[in-house]
């Protein structure tokens, strides 16, 4: 295989990027064909995926190259409409690679289902009755979905909590490569008649929880501060500011929200590219961010002056899937999995959390040094030029003019485009 070199990937045209991916032999022939011929989701398949379909909404599909995760280089597919997100991720990947890349830990990978019971008059008795039948109930859950047991998964544990007037029965389920929503819901519903009998209460609902605390994943990296600045003193100062930025997100919810939004710029982009349910991932992670009663930043950065390194780490629920749902239906999603080397769910979860941490690093680095506008607006200018109606050949010159403006907005872009066109005519 050709030695992979990604410098300048951003400056290539989409066609040249596809050619490069081909040269690197990163895709099988089917995925290559999908990319080359721009095969999209057939409308008849889209019509089976949701309801009342009339068309499809396309989004940009990009690649953030050369993420070193657990010693292996990955090219991460990112679906996003926002300028500077992919640039920032690529930039962070490049810098972090020089310091050894990311390390990930998958703490466990199980989903949690819950059955909420009400009208339970004796909580203690109900709990005792349910817990003495724990093995029977787990077996009952497994009988409701025998195929997952055949694949080596199934219901693993059951526990009870009393919250206000509710007796809640939780069940953890090993869903293997699937996200498992349907599987867990089927299991929970199968338990309700027995739970009602044992508790002498009534079922309010039986459903999967998106707060996947049994699917926690950690990504971390240690970065030499020399990448923050060549000047030792300035690097030291910037490292301290980076740590303060992470502390600010621990104490101020207004900042924590934006801090985490930046993290999700990366996470959502890869979750979407791989055909996963980004609402589920967002819901679980935001609940995790407020697990101690206050909404806080998901990542944390520390500075070790002795080794002149900053250490970033982030843990969050990442119940990602590589099978099921719409994953096998969308041709571009297939390309994304192929590009990643068809990882299993645990490997994919580690990549997603690493990307979130990289995105956070790029944002904090920019915020605490040049400010976000310098890098972001440079790329935002392209969107403004297109929005103003610039044709392909006009985008470059218009972006240059926009970057010299104090107030970069659509009105300015339109007026600059007009003057460009007038100058050309005269
Ligand atoms: P720079 O130093 O001007 O970049 O940074 P450079 O031109 O020196 O290029 C360095 C590398 O960056 C390139 O390496 C690429 O990997 C990448 P090369 O390929 O040349 O060997 N890169 C690009 N990749 C693709 N397309 C491009 C491109 N440009 C550079 N056009 C950069 C420029 C934008 C990377 C930097 O300023 C940055 O990271 N800024 C942060 C931007 C950001 O975080 N954007 C997210 C949107 S803002 C937001 O929603 C979140 C936020 O509110 C979150 C928070 O508050 O925490 C900020």
């Amino acid at each position: 295989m050709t030695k992979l070199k990604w410098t300048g990937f951003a400056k290539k045209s989409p066609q040249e990027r596809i050619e490069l991916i081909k040269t690197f032999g990163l895709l099988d022939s089917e995925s290559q064909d999908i990319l080359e011929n721009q095969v999209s989701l057939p409308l008849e398949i889209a019509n089976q995926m949701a309801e009342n379909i009339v068309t499809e909404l396309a989004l940009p599909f990009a690649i953030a190259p050369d993420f070193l995760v657990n010693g292996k280089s990955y090219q991460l597919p990112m679906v996003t409409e926002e300028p500077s997100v992919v640039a920032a991720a690529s930039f962070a990947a490049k810098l972090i690679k020089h310091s050894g890349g990311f390390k990930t830990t998958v703490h466990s990978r199980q989903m949690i289902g819950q059955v909420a019971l009400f009208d339970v008059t004796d909580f203690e008795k109900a709990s005792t009755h349910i817990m003495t039948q724990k093995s029977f109930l787990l077996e009952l859950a497994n009988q409701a979905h025998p195929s997952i047991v055949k694949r080596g998964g199934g219901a693993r544990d059951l526990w009870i909590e009393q919250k206000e007037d509710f007796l809640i029965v939780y069940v953890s389920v090993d869903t293997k490569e699937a996200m498992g929503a349907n599987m867990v819901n089927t299991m929970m519903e199968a338990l309700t008649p027995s739970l009602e009998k044992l508790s002498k209460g009534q079922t309010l609902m039986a459903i999967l929880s998106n707060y996947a605390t049994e699917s926690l994943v950690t990504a971390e990296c240690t970065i030499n501060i020399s990448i923050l600045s060549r000047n030792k003193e300035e690097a030291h100062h910037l490292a301290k500011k980076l740590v303060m930025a992470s502390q600010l997100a621990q104490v101020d919810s207004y900042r924590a929200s934006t801090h985490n939004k930046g993290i999700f710029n990366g996470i959502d982009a890869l979750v979407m590219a791989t055909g996963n349910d980004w609402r589920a991932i967002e819901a679980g992670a935001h609940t995790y961010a407020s697990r101690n009663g206050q909404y806080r930043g998901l990542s944390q950065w520390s500075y070790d002056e002795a080794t002149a390194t900053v250490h970033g780490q982030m843990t969050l629920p990442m119940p990602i899937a590589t099978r099921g749902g719409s994953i096998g239906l969308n041709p571009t999603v297939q390309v994304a999995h192929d590009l990643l080397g068809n990882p299993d769910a645990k490997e994919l979860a580690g990549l997603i959390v690493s990307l979130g941490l990289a995105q956070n690093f790029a944002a904090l680095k920019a915020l605490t040094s040049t400010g976000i506008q310098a890098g972001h607006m440079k790329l935002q200018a392209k969107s403004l030029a297109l929005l103003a109606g610039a044709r392909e050949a006009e985008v470059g010159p218009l972006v240059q003019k926009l970057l010299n403006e104090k107030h970069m907005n659509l009105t300015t872009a339109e007026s600059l485009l007009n003057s460009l066109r007038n100058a050309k005519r005269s």
Side-chain angles (χ1 to χ4, degrees), residues 6-11 65 82-92 94 255 258-263 265 359-360 362-367 370-372 374-376 378-379 382:
W6 294 99
T7 302
F9 188 64
K11 296 186 183 77
E82 189 175 358
S84 92
V85 166
V86 177
S90 310
F91 188 33
K94 196 174 162 174
R255 176 55 206 154
T258 323
H259 180 98
N260 290 346
K261 186 276 181 191
I263 289 168
N265 278 340
Q359 206 76 58
N360 178 241
L364 296 189
K365 179 179 177 300
L367 284 167
T370 55
I372 199 72
H376 183 60
K378 200 160 70 178
L379 297 165
K382 231 196 240 172

Side-chain angles (χ1 to χ4, degrees), residues 82-344:
E82 189 175 358
S84 92
V85 166
V86 177
S90 310
F91 188 33
K94 196 174 162 174
L95 297 179
I96 294 170
K97 185 184 174 185
H98 288 306
S99 295
F102 298 90
K103 284 192 182 53
T104 66
T105 312
V106 176
H107 301 278
S108 60
R109 200 194 127 71
Q110 290 180 11
M111 293 305 291
I112 297 170
Q114 58 180 169
V115 179
L117 299 157
F118 68 103
D119 269 357
V120 176
T121 45
D122 188 334
F123 281 92
E124 221 176 289
K125 232 186 207 166
S127 303
T128 311
H129 286 162
I130 291 170
M131 288 316 284
T132 49
Q133 293 299 316
K134 181 172 157 175
S135 307
F136 161 76
L137 291 165
L138 290 175
E139 181 52 33
L140 204 60
N142 283 331
Q143 280 168 11
H145 215 291
S147 62
I148 189 63
V149 181
K150 267 192 221 145
R151 266 184 250 123
R156 292 285 183 260
D157 197 10
L158 179 151
W159 65 100
I160 301 174
E161 283 180 37
Q162 184 193 339
K163 287 180 179 157
E164 306 266 330
D165 292 336
F166 302 110
L167 186 76
I168 309 172
V169 180
Y170 299 93
V171 180
S172 59
V173 181
D174 182 349
T175 59
K176 292 291 161 195
E177 288 302 302
M179 193 261 196
N182 289 333
M183 179 191 309
V184 175
N185 292 344
T186 304
M187 287 180 166
M188 294 308 103
E189 287 186 6
L191 292 181
T192 58
S194 300
L195 289 175
E196 286 184 353
K197 226 190 230 172
L198 291 164
S199 67
K200 297 201 169 25
Q202 296 184 58
T203 302
L204 180 65
M205 63 174 74
I207 186 79
L208 160 113
S209 169
N210 287 120
Y211 189 28
T213 51
E214 298 290 315
S215 291
L216 293 181
V217 177
T218 300
E220 54 191 317
C221 57
T222 302
I223 307 170
N224 197 305
I225 64 161
S226 60
I227 60 139
L228 298 175
S229 169
R230 285 203 188 120
N231 177 302
K232 263 189 181 172
E233 216 164 290
E234 194 183 26
H236 167 76
H237 180 62
L238 289 173
K240 281 179 125 173
K241 281 176 83 179
L242 192 85
V243 173
M244 276 198 277
S246 115
Q247 282 165 350
L248 179 64
Q250 294 300 309
V251 296
D252 176 41
S253 302
Y254 283 91
R255 176 55 206 154
S257 178
T258 323
H259 180 98
N260 290 346
K261 186 276 181 191
I263 289 168
F264 276 94
N265 278 340
I267 289 185
D268 283 350
L270 182 45
V271 168
M272 283 175 78
T274 53
N276 274 283
D277 179 346
W278 68 94
R279 287 87 56 211
I281 301 296
E282 288 255 3
H286 293 304
T287 314
Y288 191 71
S290 25
R291 65 193 178 284
N292 297 324
Q294 186 190 321
Y295 188 86
R296 295 176 198 275
L298 284 161
S299 67
Q300 275 171 309
W301 293 88
S302 57
Y303 174 31
D304 181 358
E305 283 193 50
T307 55
T309 54
V310 284
H311 180 257
Q313 81 95 35
M314 179 163 77
T315 299
L316 72 162
M318 191 46 67
I320 210 74
T322 61
R323 300 274 183 283
S326 70
I327 290 172
L329 302 174
N330 193 327
T332 324
V333 166
Q334 186 184 325
V335 173
H337 284 267
D338 196 16
L339 191 64
L340 293 169
N342 294 303
D344 66 12

